[in-house]
Amino acid sequence: SDMWVMTASVAVSEAPQMLVWLPLVLGALLLIACGAGATVGALWWRQRRRSEALTRSLDAATQVLDSSRRASVAGLVTRPEFDLALDEAVLRCDARRHTASVLFLDIDGFGAVNDTHGHGIGDRVLREIVERVHATTPTKTSAARLGGDEVLVLVECGLEDAKLLAAALQAVLADPIDAGAGLRIHVTVSIGVAVYPQHGARARIESYAKMAMRAVKDAGGNAWSVFDPQMAIDQREHAMIVADLRHAIARKQFELFYQPKVDSHSLQITAAEALLRWHRPQHGVVSPAVFIPLAERYGLIGDLGNWVIEEACRQAGVWRKAGLRMRVAINLSAFQMRQDDLVQRLEKALKTNKLQPERFTVEITESLALENTQATQRTFEGLRRAGLHVAIDDFGAGQTSIAYLRQLPASELKMDMSLVRDLAHSADARAIAEAVIKLAHALDRRVVAEGVETPDQRDLLVEMGCDELQGFLFAKPMSATAIGLWAMDEGPDNHPDFRPSLFQETQAAL
C-alpha cells in the first residue's frame, strides 16, 4: 500500500509538466492527420476525375462504333440484332404454331463491282439493293449484312409467301442501278430459302438457307431455290471431295490430257490443248466441272494452276527434245489472272524447259477478259510483253465489245461450242459464226472452233474460213504418251496427221 501511495504521489507531482506537453503532442498528431487526409483526398479526387473521363471516352467510342455499324448501310440491323429478332420469331412460332422464313441473298459478281469501280460505288450499289429489299419485303422485316456481298432477310411467313418474295426480290434487283455520273450497274442475286420449323431447328435454319443459295450459285446464279435435305447430303459429299482434293494437290495426283487442234486448210494437227484430269482414288475420274469450282471456292486453284503451268511446259519440253515442236495451250483461271507473279511463273517455266513464249498459248475465257480490273489489265500487259500467244476462249457467249476486243493482246479467238453445235440446222447460228469469223479476221485474229463433232460442222466452218478446228471428230483428249505415239506414226487410222513442219528443229529460247 505504501508503494501505491508513493506512485500516486509522483504522478500527481509530475502532472503539471505533462499537461504542458500534451497540447503540443496532440497538435502535432492533428497536423499529421490533416496532411495525410488532404493527400489521400487529393489522390482520390484526381483518380475519380480520370475514371469519369475514361468512362466518357469509352461511352463515346462505343456510340461511334455502334453508329458506324448501323450507318454503314442504312436499313440494315447488326448481326446481334438479327439473331435476337430470329430468336423472338422462333418463340412466337413455337407459341402460335406460325412459321418464319430466312432468305440468304448473295449478290453475284459484287466483288468485280468493287474491283472495277471502287468501294465507294460498291457501297452505293449495296445501299440501293438494301432500299429495294426493304421496298419489296413486308413491314416487319429484319435484314443484316454478313459480308461484302451477302444479306440475310427474316420474314415471318410461310414457304409459299417466301417463294413469292424470293421471286419478287430477284426481279426487282435485276433492274440496272444508277451509280451516278451516268454509270449504270447491272447485278443479279442468288437466293436461298429456308423455313422454320419446316426445314429444321433454329440453330440450323440459317445454314440451310445458305446451302440453298450455294446450290443456286453452283448452277450459275441469278435464281432462287428452297432448301432440300439432299443439299445437306451434297454438301457433305463436297466436303469429302475437297478433303481428297487437298490431298491430291499436295501429292500432285493429277494428269494432263491433250486434245489436238487441226488446221482447217490441210486438216493436219498443229497444236494441242492441255486439259486437267483427276483420278480420285476409289471413285474414278472426277469431271473438271466438279472439282475446278471447288478448287476456286476453297482457295486451292492457285496451287493447282501452278502445277498445270509447270507440267504443260515440262511436257512441251519433252516433245521438243524428241523433235516435236507442237504448240501447247493451257487455260488460266480468274484467280491466276489476278496473281501478281503469274507472268513471272510462266516465263520461268518456259525458260527452264527451253521453250519460246510465242510457241505457248494461254487461253482466257471471254467473261474473264471482260473484267476490266487493274489486276487483270496488268496481267494482260505482262503477257503481251512476255510474247505469249493469248487466246480468248468461249468467244460469242458473252458481250465483248469490238472496241474492247481491239485493246486485248489476243492473237486468237476460240468460238464458243454452242455456236458450233447448231451450225448444221440453224441459219441464225451459221450467220453468227460467219460474223464472228469475219470480225476476228478484220481485227487480224485467228479463229478456232471447238466442239466440232460432225463432218457437216467441219465443212461449214472450212467454207467460212475458220483457221483451226478442235473436237471429237478429229480426236478426243488423250494422254501425253498417246500423243507421242501418234506423232511417231503409231496413232489411229483415218485420223489427221501431224503437220510435217512440227518435226523441224527449233531454236532454244534464251
Side-chain angles (χ1 to χ4, degrees), residues 22 74 83 164 170 200 223 258 262 277 288 345 354 365 381 412 452 458 468 470 496 503:
L22 183 58
D83 290 338
L164 294 174
Q170 183 188 352
Y258 298 86
V262 302
R277 294 292 183 266
R345 287 179 179 275
K354 300 180 180 179
T365 63
E381 179 62 24
E412 177 181 296
V452 181
R458 175 198 62 198
E468 286 186 318
Q470 181 182 354
F503 297 96

Side-chain angles (χ1 to χ4, degrees), residues 102-182:
V102 173
L103 282 69
F104 199 114
L105 283 65
D106 185 280
I107 305 165
D108 303 324
F110 187 69
V113 174
N114 280 329
D115 292 341
T116 304
H117 305 290
H119 289 278
I121 296 295
D123 287 343
R124 188 176 301 174
V125 169
L126 184 60
R127 283 195 295 271
E128 175 64 23
I129 289 173
V130 171
E131 289 177 4
R132 294 185 185 184
V133 169
H134 275 282
T136 308
T137 54
T139 304
K140 293 183 178 180
T141 300
S142 295
R145 183 183 181 185
L146 298 185
D149 55 0
E150 294 178 339
V151 176
L152 269 178
V153 176
L154 169 65
V155 184
E156 294 189 41
C157 67
L159 178 57
E160 294 306 316
D161 287 338
K163 289 179 181 180
L164 294 174
L165 177 58
L169 287 172
Q170 183 188 352
V172 75
L173 293 177
D175 292 336
I177 294 174
D178 186 358

Side-chain angles (χ1 to χ4, degrees), residues 218-233:
D218 292 342
N222 191 23
W224 58 269
S225 176
V226 177
F227 170 75
D228 185 279
Q230 182 63 39
M231 294 176 181
I233 298 174

Side-chain angles (χ1 to χ4, degrees), residues 56-381:
R56 287 194 298 270
S57 299
L58 289 174
D59 289 342
T62 302
Q63 291 174 2
V64 169
L65 180 59
D66 186 63
S67 175
S68 66
R69 286 172 178 168
R70 293 172 181 270
S72 58
V73 180
L76 292 179
V77 301
T78 63
R79 182 53 193 266
E81 289 172 335
F82 183 89
D83 290 338
L84 179 60
L86 181 55
D87 289 338
E88 293 174 348
V90 166
L91 289 175
R92 285 191 292 271
C93 290
D94 292 343
R96 304 172 187 174
R97 295 185 180 181
H98 288 178
T99 54
S101 297
V102 173
L103 282 69
F104 199 114
L105 283 65
D106 185 280
I107 305 165
D108 303 324
F110 187 69
V113 174
N114 280 329
D115 292 341
T116 304
H117 305 290
H119 289 278
I121 296 295
D123 287 343
R124 188 176 301 174
V125 169
L126 184 60
R127 283 195 295 271
E128 175 64 23
I129 289 173
V130 171
E131 289 177 4
R132 294 185 185 184
V133 169
H134 275 282
T136 308
T137 54
T139 304
K140 293 183 178 180
T141 300
S142 295
R145 183 183 181 185
L146 298 185
D149 55 0
E150 294 178 339
V151 176
L152 269 178
V153 176
L154 169 65
V155 184
E156 294 189 41
C157 67
L159 178 57
E160 294 306 316
D161 287 338
K163 289 179 181 180
L164 294 174
L165 177 58
L169 287 172
Q170 183 188 352
V172 75
L173 293 177
D175 292 336
I177 294 174
D178 186 358
L183 181 64
R184 293 174 67 81
I185 305 294
H186 292 262
V187 298
T188 58
V189 65
S190 299
I191 306 174
V193 180
V195 180
Y196 176 87
Q198 180 175 339
H199 291 137
R202 185 265 182 256
R204 300 292 297 166
I205 204 69
E206 180 185 323
S207 62
Y208 287 161
K210 186 173 184 178
M211 286 183 193
M213 179 277 295
R214 180 53 60 186
V216 174
K217 280 285 196 183
D218 292 342
N222 191 23
W224 58 269
S225 176
V226 177
F227 170 75
D228 185 279
Q230 182 63 39
M231 294 176 181
I233 298 174
D234 293 342
Q235 184 153 319
R236 286 195 293 271
E237 175 63 20
H238 282 182
M240 295 174 62
I241 293 176
V242 170
D244 289 348
L245 187 58
R246 293 183 190 275
H247 182 89
I249 292 174
R251 291 160 178 77
K252 297 180 173 58
Q253 295 175 346
F254 294 90
E255 184 179 9
L256 288 182
F257 274 39
Y258 298 86
Q259 186 174 32
K261 301 178 183 179
V262 302
D263 179 76
S264 63
H265 303 291
S266 65
L267 296 182
Q268 292 177 322
I269 296 173
T270 57
E273 179 183 0
L275 302 169
L276 188 60
R277 294 292 183 266
W278 177 28
H279 296 274
R280 187 183 175 198
Q282 301 179 350
H283 292 82
V285 178
V286 181
S287 170
V290 173
F291 71 82
I292 292 295
L294 290 176
E296 291 176 338
R297 186 189 310 171
Y298 293 99
L300 304 175
I301 195 65
D303 292 337
L304 197 54
N306 292 337
W307 180 84
V308 170
I309 291 173
E310 294 171 2
E311 177 60 19
C313 288
R314 185 198 67 79
Q315 185 58 58
V318 170
W319 282 332
R320 181 192 168 279
K321 289 179 181 178
L324 178 63
R325 54 190 295 267
M326 182 170 58
R327 182 190 302 278
V328 174
I330 64 170
N331 294 276
L332 296 180
S333 68
F335 177 87
Q336 288 175 291
M337 284 294 290
R338 299 185 187 108
Q339 286 182 306
D340 293 335
D341 62 344
L342 172 65
V343 176
Q344 289 78 5
R345 287 179 179 275
L346 283 163
E347 289 179 317
K348 180 180 178 181
L350 292 169
K351 186 175 181 180
T352 299
N353 295 281
K354 300 180 180 179
L355 300 172
Q356 295 175 338
E358 60 270 18
R359 298 293 303 167
F360 198 83
T361 300
V362 291
E363 296 187 4
I364 302 161
T365 63
E366 181 185 18
S367 59
L368 178 56
L370 283 170
E371 284 192 13
N372 189 18
T373 63
Q374 292 182 356
T376 55
Q377 288 305 304
R378 283 196 301 267
T379 301
F380 269 124
E381 179 62 24

Side-chain angles (χ1 to χ4, degrees), residues 394-397 415-424 426 428-430 432-434 436 450 457 461:
D394 301 332
F395 187 80
M415 190 185 306
D416 185 65
M417 63 176 61
S418 64
L419 298 176
V420 176
R421 186 184 305 116
D422 298 332
L423 281 178
S426 172
D428 290 342
R430 290 192 293 272
I432 294 173
E434 189 169 10
V436 167
E450 55 182 341
Q457 293 170 345
L461 289 165

Side-chain angles (χ1 to χ4, degrees), residues 366 370 392 394-408 410-415 419 430-448 464-467:
E366 181 185 18
L370 283 170
I392 304 299
D394 301 332
F395 187 80
Q399 300 176 358
T400 304
S401 67
I402 297 177
Y404 186 54
L405 181 61
R406 291 178 58 192
Q407 300 173 9
L408 294 177
S411 305
E412 177 181 296
L413 302 180
K414 292 193 72 176
M415 190 185 306
L419 298 176
R430 290 192 293 272
I432 294 173
E434 189 169 10
V436 167
I437 293 171
K438 288 181 178 179
L439 169 63
H441 288 168
L443 296 175
D444 196 24
R445 310 292 202 268
R446 290 175 57 82
V447 182
V448 179
M464 293 177 186
C466 187
D467 300 291

